[in-house]
Amino acid sequence: MVAKVIDNPTLVLNRYWQPVNVATVARSLVLLWNESARVVDPADYQLYTWEDWSKLSPSEGEQFIQTVRLRLRVPEVIVLSEYDELPTAAVSFSRRNVFKRDHWACQYCGCQPGGEELTIDHVIPRSQGGTSTWDNCVLACIDCNKHKADRTPLQAGMRLRRTPLRPTWKPIYARYGMRIESWAKFISETYWNVPLEK
Ligand SMILES: [Zn+2]
């Protein structure tokens, strides 16, 4: 039980209060102890140093960490004192990420023939000015790609099953199988609308 609580995720904010990472509760307590971070109370945004935090008692029924001398409350959000790096950039445009976004399925017929049989199709062909970007590249099976050839979907009479967009997932927040309600105040809702990474 105790081991489990210290492995819980804590949201880490940089000193501008932008989410930059997720750390275990154990790691967060070390940062707090080192005075590299303070705990944020998501209810009123009050900040706590180690000294303040260790004086608080967990309320009835709340999770806690048992140390030799005291019971600690479990921090859910911490803010770093020095670190001013910016959050990780948006999901990079790569072959791997296009496969992932399109769930290994042809975006025209929906078949899932496996990686060998899938190609990356430029919706508006490059010969007509189409770019290699999230909103112009989709997975297509070999048959659909052949049929579409150097035409737009309209010219080929084919329909995309969904509009291609830059994915909004951020793997660092989706990695944990648990959702912590208080994080919603710091992370936009779109982060949660993604399938969990296995
Ligand atoms: Zn197809």
Side-chain angles (χ1 to χ4, degrees):
M1 182 65 194
V2 171
K4 221 174 147 198
V5 175
I6 65 167
D7 286 337
N8 276 6
T10 310
L11 183 65
V12 182
L13 309 177
N14 67 12
R15 64 194 181 103
Y16 307 116
W17 292 61
Q18 295 165 310
V20 285
N21 211 339
V22 174
T24 59
V25 165
R27 171 79 186 136
S28 295
L29 290 173
V30 171
L31 291 167
L32 187 64
W33 172 256
N34 287 340
E35 297 181 350
S36 305
R38 283 173 293 171
V39 177
V40 181
D41 183 338
D44 56 9
Y45 303 103
Q46 203 176 322
L47 296 174
Y48 295 88
T49 60
W50 168 264
E51 210 190 330
D52 302 332
W53 189 253
S54 58
K55 281 181 194 146
L56 302 177
S57 333
S59 40
E60 199 61 36
E62 188 185 323
Q63 284 190 309
F64 58 85
I65 300 146
Q66 181 72 61
T67 72
V68 181
R69 287 183 304 113
L70 42 88
R71 282 183 171 184
L72 276 178
R73 292 186 64 199
V74 181
E76 295 185 345
V77 181
I78 61 167
V79 57
L80 299 169
S81 324
E82 300 291 335
Y83 190 82
D84 44 13
E85 223 167 278
L86 294 176
T88 356
V91 182
S92 59
F93 179 72
S94 67
R95 192 179 163 79
R96 193 172 144 249
N97 283 335
V98 172
F99 272 74
K100 194 171 153 187
R101 181 199 62 186
D102 292 348
H103 305 288
W104 295 70
C106 171
Q107 296 302 293
Y108 296 100
C109 72
C111 74
Q112 292 182 298
E116 304 277 285
E117 306 287 315
L118 288 166
T119 57
I120 292 186
D121 170 62
H122 284 74
V123 179
I124 297 169
R126 272 182 286 199
S127 59
Q128 298 187 36
T131 51
S132 295
T133 48
W134 278 116
D135 55 5
N136 195 52
C137 288
V138 295
L139 287 186
C141 69
I142 290 172
D143 285 347
C144 287
N145 208 335
K146 230 179 243 166
H147 177 75
K148 181 170 175 280
D150 226 10
R151 299 178 291 177
T152 65
L154 190 68
Q155 290 162 349
M158 296 167 80
R159 272 189 66 161
L160 277 170
R161 297 167 83 89
R162 67 172 91 91
T163 311
L165 296 170
R166 176 187 288 279
T168 51
W169 29 259
K170 292 264 176 151
I172 60 162
Y173 305 120
R175 195 188 308 149
Y176 293 88
M178 61 195 296
R179 175 184 171 135
I180 297 185
E181 293 302 324
S182 62
W183 289 12
K185 291 183 173 175
F186 305 93
I187 301 178
S188 91
E189 194 57 28
T190 51
Y191 293 129
W192 301 105
N193 300 329
V194 298
L196 288 181
E197 291 222 302
K198 283 276 148 54

